[in-house]
CSV table of all heavy atoms in Angstrom, one decimal:
chain,number,residue,atom,x,y,z
R,1,ILE,N,0.8,-1.2,0.0
R,1,ILE,CA,0.0,0.0,-0.1
R,1,ILE,C,0.9,1.3,0.0
R,1,ILE,O,0.5,2.2,-0.6
R,1,ILE,CB,-1.0,0.0,1.2
R,1,ILE,CG1,-2.0,-1.1,1.0
R,1,ILE,CG2,-1.6,1.3,1.4
R,1,ILE,CD1,-2.9,-1.2,2.1
R,2,ARG,N,2.0,1.2,0.7
R,2,ARG,CA,2.9,2.3,0.7
R,2,ARG,C,3.4,2.6,-0.7
R,2,ARG,O,3.6,3.6,-1.2
R,2,ARG,CB,4.0,2.1,1.8
R,2,ARG,CG,3.6,2.3,3.1
R,2,ARG,CD,4.7,2.5,4.0
R,2,ARG,NE,5.6,1.3,4.1
R,2,ARG,CZ,5.5,0.4,4.9
R,2,ARG,NH1,4.6,0.2,5.8
R,2,ARG,NH2,6.4,-0.7,4.7
R,3,GLU,N,3.8,1.4,-1.3
R,3,GLU,CA,4.3,1.5,-2.7
R,3,GLU,C,3.2,2.1,-3.7
R,3,GLU,O,3.5,2.9,-4.7
R,3,GLU,CB,4.7,0.1,-3.2
R,3,GLU,CG,5.3,0.1,-4.6
R,3,GLU,CD,6.7,0.8,-4.7
R,3,GLU,OE1,7.3,1.1,-3.7
R,3,GLU,OE2,7.1,1.0,-5.8
R,4,ILE,N,2.0,1.7,-3.5
R,4,ILE,CA,0.8,2.1,-4.3
R,4,ILE,C,0.8,3.7,-4.1
R,4,ILE,O,0.5,4.4,-5.2
R,4,ILE,CB,-0.4,1.4,-4.0
R,4,ILE,CG1,-0.4,-0.1,-4.4
R,4,ILE,CG2,-1.7,2.0,-4.6
R,4,ILE,CD1,-1.5,-0.9,-4.0
R,5,ASP,N,0.8,4.1,-2.9
R,5,ASP,CA,0.6,5.6,-2.7
R,5,ASP,C,1.8,6.3,-3.3
R,5,ASP,O,1.6,7.4,-3.9
R,5,ASP,CB,0.7,5.8,-1.2
R,5,ASP,CG,-0.6,5.3,-0.5
R,5,ASP,OD1,-1.6,5.1,-1.3
R,5,ASP,OD2,-0.6,5.1,0.7
R,6,ARG,N,3.0,5.9,-3.3
R,6,ARG,CA,4.1,6.5,-3.9
R,6,ARG,C,4.0,6.5,-5.4
R,6,ARG,O,4.3,7.5,-6.0
R,6,ARG,CB,5.4,5.7,-3.5
R,6,ARG,CG,6.8,6.4,-4.0
R,6,ARG,CD,7.9,5.6,-3.8
R,6,ARG,NE,7.9,4.4,-4.7
R,6,ARG,CZ,8.2,4.4,-5.9
R,6,ARG,NH1,8.5,5.5,-6.5
R,6,ARG,NH2,8.1,3.3,-6.6
R,7,LEU,N,3.5,5.4,-6.0
R,7,LEU,CA,3.3,5.4,-7.4
R,7,LEU,C,2.1,6.3,-7.8
R,7,LEU,O,2.3,6.9,-9.0
R,7,LEU,CB,3.0,3.9,-7.9
R,7,LEU,CG,4.2,3.0,-7.7
R,7,LEU,CD1,3.7,1.6,-8.1
R,7,LEU,CD2,5.3,3.3,-8.7
R,8,ALA,N,1.2,6.5,-7.0
R,8,ALA,CA,0.1,7.4,-7.3
R,8,ALA,C,0.7,8.8,-7.4
R,8,ALA,O,0.2,9.6,-8.2
R,8,ALA,CB,-1.0,7.4,-6.2
R,9,GLU,N,1.6,9.2,-6.5
R,9,GLU,CA,2.2,10.5,-6.6
R,9,GLU,C,3.0,10.7,-8.0
R,9,GLU,O,3.0,11.8,-8.6
R,9,GLU,CB,3.1,10.8,-5.4
R,9,GLU,CG,2.4,10.7,-4.1
R,9,GLU,CD,3.4,10.9,-2.9
R,9,GLU,OE1,4.6,10.9,-3.2
R,9,GLU,OE2,2.9,11.0,-1.8
R,10,ASP,N,3.7,9.6,-8.3
R,10,ASP,CA,4.4,9.6,-9.6
R,10,ASP,C,3.5,9.8,-10.8
R,10,ASP,O,3.8,10.6,-11.7
R,10,ASP,CB,5.3,8.4,-9.8
R,10,ASP,CG,6.4,8.3,-8.7
R,10,ASP,OD1,6.6,9.3,-8.1
R,10,ASP,OD2,6.9,7.2,-8.5
R,11,VAL,N,2.4,9.1,-10.8
R,11,VAL,CA,1.4,9.3,-11.8
R,11,VAL,C,0.9,10.7,-11.9
R,11,VAL,O,0.6,11.3,-13.0
R,11,VAL,CB,0.3,8.2,-11.7
R,11,VAL,CG1,-0.9,8.5,-12.7
R,11,VAL,CG2,0.8,6.8,-11.9
R,12,ALA,N,0.6,11.3,-10.7
R,12,ALA,CA,0.0,12.6,-10.6
R,12,ALA,C,1.1,13.6,-11.2
R,12,ALA,O,0.7,14.5,-12.0
R,12,ALA,CB,-0.3,13.0,-9.2
R,13,ASP,N,2.4,13.5,-10.9
R,13,ASP,CA,3.4,14.3,-11.5
R,13,ASP,C,3.5,14.2,-13.0
R,13,ASP,O,3.6,15.2,-13.7
R,13,ASP,CB,4.8,14.0,-10.8
R,13,ASP,CG,4.8,14.4,-9.4
R,13,ASP,OD1,3.9,15.1,-8.9
R,13,ASP,OD2,5.6,13.8,-8.6
R,14,LEU,N,3.4,13.0,-13.5
R,14,LEU,CA,3.5,12.7,-14.9
R,14,LEU,C,2.2,13.3,-15.7
R,14,LEU,O,2.3,13.9,-16.7
R,14,LEU,CB,3.7,11.3,-15.3
R,14,LEU,CG,5.1,10.7,-14.8
R,14,LEU,CD1,4.9,9.1,-15.0
R,14,LEU,CD2,6.1,11.2,-15.7
R,15,ASP,N,1.1,13.2,-14.9
R,15,ASP,CA,-0.1,13.7,-15.5
R,15,ASP,C,0.0,15.2,-15.6
R,15,ASP,O,-0.5,15.9,-16.6
R,15,ASP,CB,-1.4,13.3,-14.7
R,15,ASP,CG,-1.8,11.9,-15.0
R,15,ASP,OD1,-1.4,11.3,-16.0
R,15,ASP,OD2,-2.5,11.3,-14.1
R,16,ARG,N,0.6,15.8,-14.6
R,16,ARG,CA,0.7,17.3,-14.6
R,16,ARG,C,1.6,17.8,-15.9
R,16,ARG,O,1.3,18.7,-16.5
R,16,ARG,CB,1.3,17.7,-13.3
R,16,ARG,CG,1.3,19.3,-13.1
R,16,ARG,CD,1.8,19.6,-11.9
R,16,ARG,NE,1.2,19.0,-10.7
R,16,ARG,CZ,1.8,18.1,-10.0
R,16,ARG,NH1,2.9,17.6,-10.2
R,16,ARG,NH2,1.0,17.5,-8.9
R,17,ASP,N,2.7,17.0,-16.1
R,17,ASP,CA,3.6,17.3,-17.2
R,17,ASP,C,2.9,17.1,-18.5
R,17,ASP,O,3.1,17.9,-19.4
R,17,ASP,CB,4.9,16.5,-17.1
R,17,ASP,CG,5.6,16.9,-15.8
R,17,ASP,OD1,5.5,18.0,-15.4
R,17,ASP,OD2,6.5,16.0,-15.5
R,18,ILE,N,2.1,16.0,-18.6
R,18,ILE,CA,1.4,15.7,-19.9
R,18,ILE,C,0.3,16.8,-20.1
R,18,ILE,O,0.1,17.2,-21.2
R,18,ILE,CB,0.9,14.3,-19.9
R,18,ILE,CG1,2.1,13.4,-19.9
R,18,ILE,CG2,0.0,14.0,-21.1
R,18,ILE,CD1,1.6,11.9,-19.8
R,19,THR,N,-0.3,17.2,-19.1
R,19,THR,CA,-1.5,18.2,-19.3
R,19,THR,C,-0.9,19.5,-19.7
R,19,THR,O,-1.6,20.3,-20.3
R,19,THR,CB,-2.3,18.2,-17.9
R,19,THR,OG1,-1.4,18.4,-16.8
R,19,THR,CG2,-3.1,17.0,-17.7
R,20,ARG,N,0.2,19.9,-19.2
R,20,ARG,CA,0.8,21.1,-19.7
R,20,ARG,C,1.0,21.1,-21.1
R,20,ARG,O,0.9,22.1,-21.8
R,20,ARG,CB,2.1,21.3,-18.9
R,20,ARG,CG,2.0,21.7,-17.4
R,20,ARG,CD,3.3,21.8,-16.6
R,20,ARG,NE,3.1,22.1,-15.3
R,20,ARG,CZ,4.0,22.1,-14.3
R,20,ARG,NH1,5.3,21.7,-14.7
R,20,ARG,NH2,3.7,22.3,-13.0
R,21,GLU,N,1.5,20.0,-21.6
R,21,GLU,CA,1.7,19.9,-23.1
R,21,GLU,C,0.4,20.0,-23.8
R,21,GLU,O,0.1,20.6,-24.8
R,21,GLU,CB,2.3,18.6,-23.4
R,21,GLU,CG,3.8,18.4,-23.0
R,21,GLU,CD,4.6,19.4,-23.7
R,21,GLU,OE1,4.4,19.8,-24.8
R,21,GLU,OE2,5.8,19.7,-23.1
R,22,ALA,N,-0.7,19.5,-23.2
R,22,ALA,CA,-2.1,19.4,-23.8
R,22,ALA,C,-2.6,20.9,-23.7
R,22,ALA,O,-3.3,21.3,-24.6
R,22,ALA,CB,-3.0,18.6,-23.0
R,23,VAL,N,-2.3,21.6,-22.7
R,23,VAL,CA,-2.7,23.1,-22.6
R,23,VAL,C,-2.1,23.9,-23.7
R,23,VAL,O,-2.7,24.8,-24.3
R,23,VAL,CB,-2.4,23.7,-21.2
R,23,VAL,CG1,-2.6,25.2,-21.3
R,23,VAL,CG2,-3.3,23.0,-20.1
R,24,MET,N,-0.8,23.6,-24.0
R,24,MET,CA,-0.1,24.3,-25.1
R,24,MET,C,-0.8,24.0,-26.4
R,24,MET,O,-1.0,24.9,-27.3
R,24,MET,CB,1.3,23.9,-25.1
R,24,MET,CG,2.1,24.4,-23.9
R,24,MET,SD,2.1,26.1,-23.7
R,24,MET,CE,3.0,26.6,-25.2
R,25,MET,N,-1.3,22.7,-26.5
R,25,MET,CA,-2.0,22.4,-27.8
R,25,MET,C,-3.4,23.1,-27.8
R,25,MET,O,-3.8,23.4,-28.9
R,25,MET,CB,-2.2,20.8,-27.9
R,25,MET,CG,-2.8,20.3,-29.1
R,25,MET,SD,-3.1,18.6,-29.0
R,25,MET,CE,-4.4,18.6,-27.8
R,26,CYS,N,-4.0,23.2,-26.7
R,26,CYS,CA,-5.3,23.8,-26.7
R,26,CYS,C,-5.2,25.3,-27.1
R,26,CYS,O,-6.2,25.8,-27.8
R,26,CYS,CB,-5.9,23.8,-25.2
R,26,CYS,SG,-6.4,22.2,-24.7
R,27,LYS,N,-4.1,26.0,-26.8
R,27,LYS,CA,-4.0,27.4,-27.2
R,27,LYS,C,-3.9,27.5,-28.7
R,27,LYS,O,-4.3,28.5,-29.3
R,27,LYS,CB,-2.8,27.9,-26.5
R,27,LYS,CG,-2.9,28.0,-25.0
R,27,LYS,CD,-1.6,28.7,-24.4
R,27,LYS,CE,-1.8,28.8,-22.9
R,27,LYS,NZ,-0.6,29.4,-22.2
R,28,SER,N,-3.4,26.5,-29.3
R,28,SER,CA,-3.3,26.4,-30.9
R,28,SER,C,-4.6,26.0,-31.5
R,28,SER,O,-4.6,25.8,-32.8
R,28,SER,CB,-2.1,25.7,-31.3
R,28,SER,OG,-2.3,24.3,-31.0
R,29,GLY,N,-5.7,25.8,-30.7
R,29,GLY,CA,-7.0,25.4,-31.3
R,29,GLY,C,-7.1,23.9,-31.6
R,29,GLY,O,-7.9,23.5,-32.4
R,30,GLY,N,-6.2,23.1,-31.0
R,30,GLY,CA,-6.2,21.7,-31.3
R,30,GLY,C,-7.1,20.8,-30.4
R,30,GLY,O,-7.2,19.6,-30.6
């Protein structure tokens, strides 16, 4: 369970980086 919580934090960090790229795409109308 401690490992699952740590991996959940890693997924949240990666999602944040990916969504930043998505926001840049949204600004271009994509």
Side-chain angles (χ1 to χ4, degrees):
I1 290 180
R2 288 195 298 268
E3 181 70 10
I4 291 172
D5 294 338
R6 187 189 64 82
L7 293 174
E9 295 177 358
D10 294 343
V11 172
D13 294 339
L14 291 171
D15 283 342
R16 189 179 303 108
D17 295 337
I18 295 175
T19 50
R20 287 173 181 170
E21 297 291 338
V23 169
M24 296 300 296
M25 185 188 66
C26 293
K27 293 180 180 179
S28 61

